Amino acid sequence: MSANPIPPLHLYSVPGDPETAPEAPPKRERPRTAWTADQLMAADFPEPKWAVPGILAEGVSLLAGPPKVGKSWLSLGIALSVAAGGRAFDSVPVQGGPVLYLALEDTPRRLQTRMGKLLDGRKAPAGLTLVTECPPFPQGGTEAIAGWLDRNEDARMVVIDVFAKMRGQAPQGVSAYDADYVAVGYAKRLADHYGIAVVLVHHVRKAGSEDFLTEVSGTNGIAGAADATLVLKRARGQADGILHVTGRDVDEAEYALQFQAASGAWHLLDGPASDHTVGDTRAAILRYVRAHPGAKPKDMAGELSHVDIDTIRRTCSRMVEAGQLARDGSGRYYPDTEARTQGAQEVSELSDCPVTRSDQAEPPGQPQLELSGLSGSSAEQRGERRA
């Protein structure tokens, strides 16, 4: 039987250039860890290095999301963009440099198929090293990754897909929190020592939460040890996903993304994320108003807990302009004009009792809208107009 001509894709067996004599990796100075207060204030530190400006900085970043949401497509697309020096999410310019991608749940054939779709005829970047097997951090994985980083001193990013394959067994006699913190700590030491971005692809809990940080699977030790957390969640409307981002060097933000099935690529949509999920919000508002004619935005906010009240106000105003809702002079909303005039009687802002138009005579020279300031409704109206 002939020997298999394809070498195993172990991280420690990635071949180098056979025509180039191996050189000893440069010796890195140990980072300084102590200063007096005046020394620290006088020190000049470089700005954090960004793998993807505004989204992925040097340090450890968790990329979490539910199964089959597209985390691997997202992380592989970013890895290709950074290795080639192109545009991440088809819009964010990135500086090129070597990238190590540990695809620990994939086969070489599957990676080839995915990259073929993502590249769409473009040349594959030589700066991207793909690996399908690597020992866990405690069993030699840290040293294997460090060896690759020593050979690629201008590396910009390491992606580990998935983190569970690298964390190894939890130390005996420690709490679950401490075990999670220690597991992320292996990646943290590599990121800090080499000044690169390390992305840990991870899962979220089955139960959802209003705070995306609490959705990360495991204890708070995982998100606590990481420098940044990114959670990819499914969305509706014009967006296929919302990327929630927060971290020590990253501003908290939400990005609306659209998945292109033909190419497997995630694209960043322009504008606030709420602009691209408004389809869902409008449908929820319309359902509520149909069930509660004469509702105000503050009434809707109690039911639409996933949408902030300012978004509700803006959306209601846009729906009035689009003819999807009707609004009366006191800021109450109805499904349409007919429902407002025939199906609901106006209610006094002061007493909550039904009233007639004869009860609401306007003083000369002063419109009714100004009188409603006693109940605060004029301020709400002005707030809606500003929104």
Side-chain angles (χ1 to χ4, degrees), residues 217-241:
S217 181
T219 70
N220 290 335
I222 292 182
D227 296 294
T229 301
L230 297 79
V231 176
L232 179 62
K233 303 175 75 171
R234 290 188 178 95
R236 297 178 184 176
Q238 301 170 22
D240 295 310

Side-chain angles (χ1 to χ4, degrees), residues 124-296:
L128 176 59
T129 298
L130 299 118
V131 176
T132 58
E133 292 184 30
C134 182
F137 284 127
Q139 281 78 51
T142 302
E143 291 77 13
I145 295 173
W148 184 88
L149 291 169
D150 285 333
R151 297 190 299 272
N152 296 270
E153 57 180 296
D154 55 343
R156 300 198 65 80
M157 186 168 68
V158 173
V159 179
I160 298 175
D161 185 8
V162 293
F163 171 54
K165 289 276 189 177
M166 288 293 293
R167 62 175 300 161
Q169 294 293 324
Q172 292 186 352
V174 303
S175 67
Y177 178 96
D178 289 338
D180 285 343
Y181 200 94
V182 167
V184 178
Y186 289 109
K188 173 71 172 165
R189 285 190 290 273
L190 286 168
D192 291 348
H193 183 73
Y194 290 95
I196 60 163
V198 176
V199 180
L200 305 178
V201 181
H202 194 46
H203 301 295
V204 295
R205 306 174 191 272
K206 291 183 180 179
S209 171
E210 293 184 7
D211 184 356
F212 68 91
L213 283 176
T214 63
E215 294 189 39
V216 176
S217 181
T219 70
N220 290 335
I222 292 182
D227 296 294
T229 301
L230 297 79
V231 176
L232 179 62
K233 303 175 75 171
R234 290 188 178 95
R236 297 178 184 176
Q238 301 170 22
D240 295 310
I242 300 294
L243 186 65
H244 301 263
V245 181
T246 190
R248 298 183 178 111
D249 294 315
V250 182
D251 293 333
E252 185 165 333
E254 295 179 352
Y255 300 94
L257 303 176
Q258 191 171 62
F259 184 71
Q260 304 291 332
S263 64
W266 284 95
H267 293 270
L268 186 65
L269 299 174
D270 293 332
S274 59
D275 286 357
H276 301 282
T277 56
V278 72
D280 237 9
T281 303
R282 289 194 183 200
I285 289 174
L286 192 54
R287 285 195 299 269
Y288 185 88
V289 172
R290 282 174 178 163
H292 306 86
K296 286 191 170 186

